[in-house]
């Protein structure tokens, strides 16, 4: 599996044995931040999430809005944006695991955090309050558990496993052997929180 924008030449060099990829270094943990407000997705906040995700370029905004409009009609997506000093700083999306594109166990009683992301430009990590809001939403929607994919050492795909373990998620299986990033490779684990 490949994370992010890895050039094709880089991948060819790995496949042909011309390049090896070392393990990803441990990502530096940022101190937790407190947001001013959490808002559910709207057309405006979707633009904010795309700007957070793309480091300000906003690429894919219209596609994201169209995806959300279709998914929302099915009432499958729960999503929130975190703001600090009126700036968007983090966001989280949760769907039923049965709608996940990943090879994970699927069932409608399990929520799946498809994306939780903190702006890399922020010195603080604002994801903690988003997890608390997802748990509250899980209670409203009557899910029995929440799952998330997490890197062992890297921030891909949703942050390091230890962030979720501090929120009492537990991991009992490594899902993928490795994910290739420009900065190295990492293992991906499926973490679960039963409620």
């Amino acid at each position: 599996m490949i994370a992010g924008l890895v050039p094709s030449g880089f991948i060819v060099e790995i496949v042909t044995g011309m390049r090896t990829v070392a393990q990803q270094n441990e990502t530096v943990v940022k101190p937790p931040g407190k947001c001013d407000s959490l808002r559910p997705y709207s057309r405006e906040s979707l633009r904010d999430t795309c700007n957070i995700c793309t480091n300000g370029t906003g690429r894919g905004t219209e596609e994201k809005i169209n995806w959300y409009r279709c998914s929302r009609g099915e009432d499958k997506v729960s999503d929130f944006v975190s703001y600090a000093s009126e700036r968007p700083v983090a966001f989280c999306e949760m769907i039923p695991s049965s709608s996940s594109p990943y090879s994970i166990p699927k069932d409608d009683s399990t929520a799946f955090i498809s994306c939780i992301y903190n702006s890399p430009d922020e010195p603080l990590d604002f994801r903690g309050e988003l997890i608390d809001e997802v748990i509250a939403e899980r209670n409203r929607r009557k899910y029995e558990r929440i799952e998330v994919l997490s890197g062992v050492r890297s921030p891909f795909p949703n942050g390091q496993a230890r962030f979720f373990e501090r929120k009492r998620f537990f991991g009992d299986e490594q899902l993928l052997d490795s994910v290739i990033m420009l900065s190295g490779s990492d293992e991906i684990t499926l973490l679960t929180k039963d409620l």
Side-chain angles (χ1 to χ4, degrees):
M1 185 173 182
I2 299 164
L5 303 172
V6 177
S8 59
F10 188 87
I11 298 166
V12 169
E13 288 176 7
I14 292 168
V15 171
T16 60
M18 295 173 58
R19 176 189 294 262
T20 58
V21 179
Q23 279 192 347
Q24 166 80 28
N25 292 329
E26 270 309 302
T27 302
V28 175
V29 176
K30 296 178 181 181
K34 180 139 179 67
C35 69
D36 300 329
S37 66
L38 288 174
R39 300 176 198 162
Y41 275 12
S42 65
R43 186 170 183 87
E44 294 75 28
S45 65
L46 273 167
R47 291 183 191 289
D48 292 339
T49 65
C50 288
N51 281 326
I52 294 168
C53 185
T54 63
N55 299 326
T57 69
R59 280 184 293 230
T61 301
E62 289 308 313
E63 292 88 346
K64 179 90 171 185
I65 289 170
N66 290 335
W67 164 82
Y68 178 72
R69 190 176 297 129
C70 292
S71 298
R72 201 58 183 166
E74 299 170 18
D75 197 32
K76 289 186 175 183
V77 181
S78 301
D79 29 52
F80 305 95
V81 184
S82 179
Y83 293 83
S85 302
E86 292 303 309
R87 286 182 348 273
V89 292
F91 66 92
C92 183
E93 297 171 0
M94 181 177 70
I95 59 176
S97 69
S98 57
S99 298
S100 170
Y102 294 101
S103 297
I104 61 170
K106 314 244 184 205
D107 92 55
D108 287 331
S109 66
T110 301
F112 178 71
I113 297 173
S114 55
C115 189
I116 182 166
Y117 191 72
N118 194 81
S119 172
D121 296 333
E122 291 298 326
L124 302 175
D125 186 345
F126 293 94
R127 294 174 303 151
E129 292 170 304
L130 288 168
I131 290 291
D132 296 340
E133 189 63 28
V134 161
I135 291 168
E137 181 69 11
R138 192 262 349 146
N139 290 331
R140 287 188 285 275
R141 291 180 178 259
K142 311 254 188 277
Y143 287 120
E144 295 172 10
R145 72 193 62 76
I146 301 171
E147 295 179 336
V148 65
L149 290 174
S150 178
V152 173
R153 292 170 299 281
S154 71
F156 180 82
N158 292 303
Q160 289 176 305
R162 64 183 168 177
F163 167 79
F164 296 101
E165 290 164 350
R166 285 194 298 269
K167 290 290 189 177
R168 300 191 181 193
F169 282 73
F170 66 92
D172 56 3
E173 66 179 283
Q174 183 177 308
L175 190 65
L176 299 169
D177 288 333
S178 67
V179 172
I180 304 298
M181 298 167 269
L182 287 173
S183 55
S185 68
D186 197 7
E187 295 79 38
I188 303 296
T189 186
L190 181 64
L191 298 166
T192 303
K193 182 174 182 71
D194 290 315
L195 299 167

